Coordinates of all heavy atoms in Angstrom, one line a residue:
L988 N -186.7 -68.9 25.5 CA -187.1 -70.3 25.7 C -186.7 -70.7 27.1 O -185.7 -70.3 27.7 CB -186.5 -71.2 24.7 CG -186.6 -70.8 23.3 CD1 -185.9 -71.8 22.4 CD2 -188.0 -70.6 22.9
S989 N -187.5 -71.7 27.7 CA -187.3 -72.2 29.1 C -187.1 -73.7 29.0 O -187.8 -74.3 28.2 CB -188.4 -71.8 29.9 OG -188.6 -70.3 30.0
C990 N -186.3 -74.2 30.0 CA -186.1 -75.6 30.1 C -186.1 -75.9 31.5 O -185.4 -75.3 32.3 CB -184.7 -76.0 29.5 SG -184.3 -77.8 29.7
S991 N -187.0 -76.9 31.9 CA -187.0 -77.3 33.3 C -187.3 -78.8 33.4 O -187.6 -79.4 32.3 CB -188.1 -76.7 34.0 OG -189.5 -76.8 33.5
A992 N -187.2 -79.4 34.5 CA -187.5 -80.8 34.6 C -188.0 -81.1 36.0 O -187.4 -81.0 37.1 CB -186.1 -81.7 34.5
A993 N -189.3 -81.4 36.1 CA -190.0 -81.6 37.3 C -189.3 -82.7 38.3 O -188.9 -83.8 37.7 CB -191.4 -82.1 37.1
G994 N -189.0 -82.4 39.5 CA -188.4 -83.3 40.4 C -186.9 -83.4 40.4 O -186.4 -84.3 41.0
H995 N -186.3 -82.6 39.5 CA -184.8 -82.6 39.3 C -184.2 -81.2 39.5 O -184.9 -80.3 38.9 CB -184.5 -83.2 38.0 CG -184.9 -84.8 37.9 ND1 -184.0 -85.7 38.2 CD2 -186.0 -85.3 37.5 CE1 -184.6 -86.9 38.0 NE2 -185.8 -86.6 37.6
T996 N -183.1 -81.2 40.0 CA -182.4 -80.0 40.2 C -181.4 -79.8 39.0 O -180.5 -80.5 39.0 CB -181.6 -79.9 41.5 OG1 -182.6 -80.1 42.5 CG2 -180.9 -78.5 41.6
L997 N -181.8 -78.9 38.2 CA -180.9 -78.6 36.9 C -179.5 -78.2 37.2 O -178.6 -78.4 36.4 CB -181.6 -77.7 35.9 CG -183.0 -78.1 35.4 CD1 -183.3 -77.2 34.3 CD2 -182.8 -79.6 34.8
E998 N -179.4 -77.6 38.4 CA -178.0 -77.0 38.7 C -176.9 -78.1 38.6 O -175.8 -77.8 38.4 CB -178.0 -76.4 40.2 CG -176.8 -75.8 40.6 CD -176.9 -75.2 42.0 OE1 -177.9 -75.5 42.7 OE2 -176.0 -74.4 42.4
S999 N -177.3 -79.4 38.9 CA -176.3 -80.4 39.0 C -176.1 -81.1 37.6 O -175.3 -82.1 37.4 CB -176.6 -81.6 40.0 OG -177.9 -82.1 39.7
Y1000 N -176.8 -80.5 36.6 CA -176.6 -81.2 35.3 C -176.0 -80.1 34.4 O -176.2 -79.0 34.4 CB -178.0 -81.5 34.7 CG -178.7 -82.7 35.4 CD1 -179.5 -82.5 36.5 CD2 -178.6 -84.0 34.9 CE1 -180.1 -83.5 37.1 CE2 -179.2 -85.0 35.5 CZ -180.0 -84.8 36.6 OH -180.6 -85.9 37.2
T1001 N -175.4 -80.6 33.3 CA -175.0 -79.8 32.1 C -176.2 -79.7 31.2 O -176.7 -80.8 30.9 CB -173.8 -80.4 31.4 OG1 -172.6 -80.1 32.2 CG2 -173.5 -79.6 30.0
I1002 N -176.6 -78.5 30.9 CA -177.7 -78.4 30.0 C -177.3 -77.7 28.6 O -176.5 -76.8 28.6 CB -178.7 -77.4 30.6 CG1 -179.1 -78.0 32.1 CG2 -180.0 -77.3 29.8 CD1 -179.8 -79.3 32.1
A1003 N -177.9 -78.2 27.6 CA -177.6 -77.7 26.3 C -178.9 -77.6 25.5 O -179.9 -78.1 25.7 CB -176.6 -78.5 25.5
W1004 N -178.9 -76.6 24.5 CA -179.8 -76.5 23.5 C -179.3 -76.9 22.2 O -178.3 -76.4 21.8 CB -180.4 -75.0 23.5 CG -181.1 -74.6 24.7 CD1 -180.6 -74.0 25.8 CD2 -182.6 -74.6 24.8 NE1 -181.7 -73.7 26.7 CE2 -182.8 -74.0 26.1 CE3 -183.5 -75.0 24.1 CZ2 -184.2 -74.0 26.7 CZ3 -184.9 -75.0 24.5 CH2 -185.1 -74.4 25.8
F1005 N -180.2 -77.6 21.5 CA -179.9 -78.0 20.1 C -181.1 -77.6 19.3 O -182.2 -77.4 19.8 CB -179.7 -79.5 20.0 CG -178.4 -79.9 20.5 CD1 -178.1 -80.1 21.8 CD2 -177.4 -80.4 19.6 CE1 -176.8 -80.5 22.3 CE2 -176.1 -80.8 20.1 CZ -175.9 -80.9 21.4
R1006 N -181.0 -77.4 17.9 CA -182.2 -77.2 17.2 C -182.1 -78.0 15.9 O -181.1 -78.4 15.5 CB -182.2 -75.6 16.8 CG -181.1 -75.2 16.0 CD -181.1 -73.7 15.7 NE -180.1 -73.1 14.8 CZ -179.8 -71.9 14.6 NH1 -180.6 -71.0 15.2 NH2 -178.9 -71.6 13.8
Q1007 N -183.2 -78.2 15.3 CA -183.3 -78.9 14.1 C -184.3 -78.3 13.2 O -185.5 -78.1 13.5 CB -183.7 -80.4 14.3 CG -183.7 -81.2 13.0 CD -183.7 -82.7 13.2 OE1 -184.0 -83.2 14.4 NE2 -183.2 -83.5 12.4
A1008 N -183.9 -77.8 12.0 CA -184.7 -77.1 11.0 C -185.2 -78.2 10.1 O -184.6 -79.2 9.9 CB -183.9 -76.1 10.3
P1009 N -186.3 -77.9 9.4 CA -186.8 -78.8 8.4 C -185.8 -79.2 7.4 O -185.2 -78.3 6.8 CB -187.9 -78.1 7.8 CG -188.4 -77.1 8.9 CD -187.1 -76.7 9.5
G1010 N -185.7 -80.5 7.3 CA -184.7 -81.0 6.2 C -183.3 -80.9 6.4 O -182.4 -81.2 5.7
K1011 N -183.0 -80.5 7.8 CA -181.6 -80.4 8.1 C -181.3 -81.3 9.4 O -182.2 -81.7 10.1 CB -181.2 -79.0 8.5 CG -181.3 -78.1 7.3 CD -180.9 -76.7 7.7 CE -180.9 -75.7 6.5 NZ -180.4 -74.3 6.8
E1012 N -180.0 -81.5 9.5 CA -179.6 -82.3 10.8 C -179.6 -81.4 12.1 O -179.6 -80.2 12.0 CB -178.2 -82.8 10.6 CG -178.1 -83.8 9.4 CD -176.7 -84.5 9.4 OE1 -175.8 -84.0 10.2 OE2 -176.5 -85.4 8.6
R1013 N -179.8 -82.1 13.2 CA -179.8 -81.3 14.4 C -178.4 -80.7 14.6 O -177.4 -81.3 14.3 CB -180.0 -82.4 15.6 CG -180.1 -81.8 16.9 CD -180.3 -82.9 18.0 NE -179.1 -83.8 18.0 CZ -179.2 -84.9 18.7 NH1 -180.3 -85.4 19.2 NH2 -178.0 -85.7 18.7
E1014 N -178.4 -79.4 15.2 CA -177.2 -78.8 15.4 C -177.2 -78.1 16.8 O -178.3 -77.8 17.4 CB -177.1 -77.6 14.3 CG -178.0 -76.5 14.4 CD -177.7 -75.4 13.5 OE1 -176.6 -75.4 12.9 OE2 -178.6 -74.6 13.2
F1015 N -176.0 -78.1 17.3 CA -175.8 -77.5 18.6 C -176.0 -75.9 18.6 O -175.7 -75.3 17.6 CB -174.3 -77.8 19.1 CG -173.9 -77.0 20.3 CD1 -174.3 -77.4 21.5 CD2 -173.0 -75.9 20.1 CE1 -173.8 -76.7 22.6 CE2 -172.6 -75.2 21.2 CZ -173.0 -75.6 22.4
V1016 N -176.5 -75.5 19.7 CA -176.8 -74.1 19.8 C -176.0 -73.5 20.9 O -175.1 -72.6 20.7 CB -178.3 -73.7 20.0 CG1 -178.5 -72.2 20.3 CG2 -179.1 -74.2 18.8
A1017 N -176.2 -73.9 22.1 CA -175.5 -73.3 23.3 C -175.5 -74.4 24.5 O -176.4 -75.3 24.5 CB -176.2 -72.1 23.8
S1018 N -174.6 -74.3 25.4 CA -174.5 -75.1 26.5 C -174.1 -74.4 27.8 O -173.5 -73.4 27.6 CB -173.5 -76.3 26.3 OG -172.2 -75.8 26.1
S1019 N -174.6 -74.9 28.8 CA -174.2 -74.4 30.1 C -173.7 -75.5 31.0 O -174.5 -76.4 31.4 CB -175.5 -73.7 30.9 OG -175.1 -73.3 32.2
V1020 N -172.4 -75.6 31.1 CA -171.8 -76.7 31.9 C -172.0 -76.6 33.4 O -171.9 -75.5 33.9 CB -170.3 -76.8 31.6 CG1 -169.5 -77.8 32.4 CG2 -170.1 -77.0 30.1

């Protein structure tokens, strides 16, 4: 999976991935501080 943001440098942000399965709450997956 890829994550980008037009016009913004992701290097200066903490980025994380979360996921949400059907009928379940959103859960943390991974982060890059």
Side-chain angles (χ1 to χ4, degrees):
L988 308 183
S989 300
C990 175
S991 61
H995 293 269
T996 302
L997 295 187
E998 184 179 11
S999 58
Y1000 293 87
T1001 288
I1002 303 295
W1004 288 91
F1005 286 74
R1006 68 184 181 184
Q1007 186 164 19
K1011 295 186 177 180
E1012 293 188 355
R1013 183 181 65 194
E1014 64 174 352
F1015 168 77
V1016 172
S1018 63
S1019 173
V1020 176

